[in-house]
Amino acid sequence: SAVISQKPSRDICQRGTSLTIQCQVDSQVTMMFWYRQQPGQSLTLIATANQGSEATYESGFVIDKFPISRPNLTFSTLTVSNMSPEDSSIYLCSVPGLAASTDTQYFGPGTRLTVL
Amino acid sequence: GNSVTQMEGPVTLSEEAFLTINCTYTATGYPSLFWYVQYPGEGLQLLLKATKADDKGSNKGFEATYRKETTSFHLEKGSVQVSDSAVYFCALSPYSGGYQKVTFGTGTKLQVIP
């Protein structure tokens, strides 16, 4: 399985500001995913980020609020823009497994965001 | 559409008790089924998976059997430890032949007391 790191691990931000979250994978992967986990809730997929193309956003998420970059096959960023307290969540990136395990998701440790 | 329903928590057990966390699913075809675990302050980790009917996934003393007739994938452990305290998520992927969007259950928080 891939080893995935995220930065920052946590942050406390003021409303109206933006935060960029980084996700680094130790192997080259075509697809990377960004999820949001609101307090006490399950995971919600924000978008799928493919290298070399625009990210694909899920219903309820828009590029202006959550711009994503995918400059190469091992790295992606998610920006949470113009934050409000409702954006307080854990943000997780993930990648699918290789070969016969492409149905399996492997997750980073998450970024815990608190917006005041 | 696909959906996963798991028992609500929190579940509180004494150490060495038997654990069952129920999970049922709705999906067409033959999805892959998963249990993920999230320890306090950490991301999700794959606990076990099963890709076809009657398969049993197992890891760290946890087991779950893919039951297509009852569309279930219940998680069991014979003797829980304090270190098993975490949130457990049941999930499905529509089929095992390549990536498809994963559907997660709402999570069940387990607390094991000494």
Side-chain angles (χ1 to χ4, degrees):
Chain A
S1 62
V3 176
I4 305 168
S5 60
Q6 287 185 233
K7 290 181 181 179
S9 59
R10 61 180 65 241
D11 208 341
I12 300 173
C13 301
Q14 297 297 320
R15 74 166 65 218
T17 63
S18 298
L19 176 72
T20 296
I21 302 168
Q22 300 178 7
C23 179
Q24 180 77 50
V25 186
D26 70 342
S27 57
Q28 294 185 335
V29 291
T30 304
M31 305 176 80
M32 295 177 74
F33 308 96
W34 287 99
Y35 287 85
R36 180 175 73 182
Q37 185 181 18
Q38 294 177 300
Q41 303 296 314
S42 186
L43 281 74
T44 303
L45 181 64
I46 297 171
T48 302
N50 289 329
Q51 197 274 332
S53 63
E54 294 288 324
T56 302
Y57 289 83
E58 297 296 308
S59 175
F61 297 96
V62 295
I63 187 171
D64 290 346
K65 176 66 175 177
F66 297 101
I68 289 172
S69 77
R70 184 78 204 276
N72 58 52
L73 291 173
T74 64
F75 187 78
S76 178
T77 67
L78 170 76
T79 299
V80 186
S81 303
N82 189 24
M83 288 184 285
S84 67
E86 291 70 34
D87 294 319
S88 298
S89 295
I90 301 173
Y91 291 86
L92 298 131
C93 66
S94 72
V95 301
L98 300 175
S101 296
T102 54
D103 57 348
T104 304
Q105 290 289 297
Y106 294 95
F107 288 86
T111 295
R112 284 152 184 78
L113 170 62
T114 301
V115 183
L116 302 177
Chain B
N2 300 325
S3 67
V4 175
T5 302
Q6 58 181 109
M7 65 187 288
E8 294 192 14
V11 174
T12 302
L13 295 173
S14 298
E15 206 164 22
E16 300 184 2
F18 185 86
L19 168 71
T20 300
I21 300 178
N22 290 337
C23 172
T24 57
Y25 68 91
T26 301
T28 56
Y30 300 89
S32 294
L33 301 175
F34 308 86
W35 278 99
Y36 286 87
V37 58
Q38 185 176 35
Y39 297 104
E42 299 184 12
L44 272 72
Q45 302 175 23
L46 177 66
L47 180 60
L48 53 85
K49 65 181 276 190
T51 58
K52 61 183 186 293
D54 300 325
D55 265 4
K56 178 185 286 187
S58 61
N59 186 25
K60 299 181 181 180
F62 291 89
E63 294 182 338
T65 301
Y66 190 144
R67 301 288 188 197
K68 189 161 180 64
E69 65 276 13
T70 55
T71 62
S72 65
F73 193 56
H74 305 321
L75 182 68
E76 296 182 337
K77 186 175 185 181
S79 176
V80 294
Q81 305 300 312
V82 173
S83 57
D84 294 326
S85 297
V87 180
Y88 293 81
F89 292 92
C90 186
L92 72 81
S93 179
Y95 53 81
S96 60
Y99 173 72
Q100 294 291 317
K101 182 179 174 181
V102 178
T103 300
F104 289 89
T106 53
T108 302
K109 184 175 183 178
L110 170 67
Q111 182 178 15
V112 180
I113 55 177

